[in-house]
Amino acid sequence: ESGFDSNSSFAFTDVQKKGDKTIFYQTWDQITVAYLSGHRVGTTPLVPATCYIEILKACVEHLYKTQQFTLCDMEFKNILFLDKATIDVEIEFCEDRFTIMTDGSEHACLGLRLESMEAPPLDLERSLENQTLLSGEEFYRITGNDYRDDFKTVKRIRINETRMIVSVDLGEIT
């Protein structure tokens, strides 16, 4: 058991309104940093892009009392390395855009749309045409990344030039 809980780990330590900006503050403790360190590119622990979605879910809930939103116009600027025991995170929201920062360095900027977008229906037959099947172990070997624990849940992948269908096992997530 990792002790990680996204609800408490990504809780705000403070929220401030400064003119037309709302600034959210978080401090990731040692448990959170250790947990997120299971995501690696090569052998280097760094914050996965999906972590930003988890962070922003709480921000959108605070601002608009909804969890239905779309993130758009995403820019990933500087990698957020997990090389400290604790990390102070600042999330600035202004003019429908979030900026995620640590120590004055911008890591990501993401636009916000509150209207829900419906995904087109999946044409499963077309999606399965000309696909290559990979096991989870083959996938992880090909990426060369040393994913660990909850970041290593892919069981198999069907992939072609335009689509990827991934089977994951979430049963053992801590």
Side-chain angles (χ1 to χ4, degrees), residues 26 76-77 79 87 91 131 136 152 163 167 172:
Q26 297 176 337
F76 298 99
K77 297 182 172 194
I79 294 170
I87 298 175
I91 304 108
Q131 288 205 331
K152 194 170 184 176
R163 302 221 187 233
S167 172
E172 297 177 27

Side-chain angles (χ1 to χ4, degrees), residues 79-162:
I79 294 170
L80 178 41
F81 293 99
L82 296 166
D83 55 0
K84 297 179 182 174
T86 62
I87 298 175
D88 292 319
V89 180
E90 185 176 311
I91 304 108
E92 181 180 289
F93 181 71
C94 182
E95 298 180 8
D96 294 329
R97 192 145 182 87
F98 289 102
T99 302
I100 300 171
M101 299 172 281
T102 62
D103 299 322
S105 178
E106 288 186 8
H107 299 287
C109 295
L110 302 100
L112 175 68
R113 280 200 308 248
L114 291 176
E115 74 273 5
S116 62
M117 294 178 59
E118 286 194 32
L122 177 63
D123 180 350
L124 195 54
E125 242 179 78
R126 184 172 152 258
S127 296
L128 295 176
E129 290 175 354
N130 303 317
Q131 288 205 331
T132 302
L133 179 64
L134 296 174
S135 70
E137 287 307 314
E138 288 174 300
F139 166 74
Y140 290 114
R141 184 179 44 73
I142 290 168
T143 67
N145 297 331
D146 182 24
Y147 293 116
R148 298 182 180 181
D149 304 320
D150 289 352
F151 295 97
K152 194 170 184 176
T153 60
V154 172
K155 296 302 173 196
R156 66 187 158 275
I157 296 177
R158 292 182 175 274
I159 187 169
N160 65 19
E161 291 180 8
T162 60

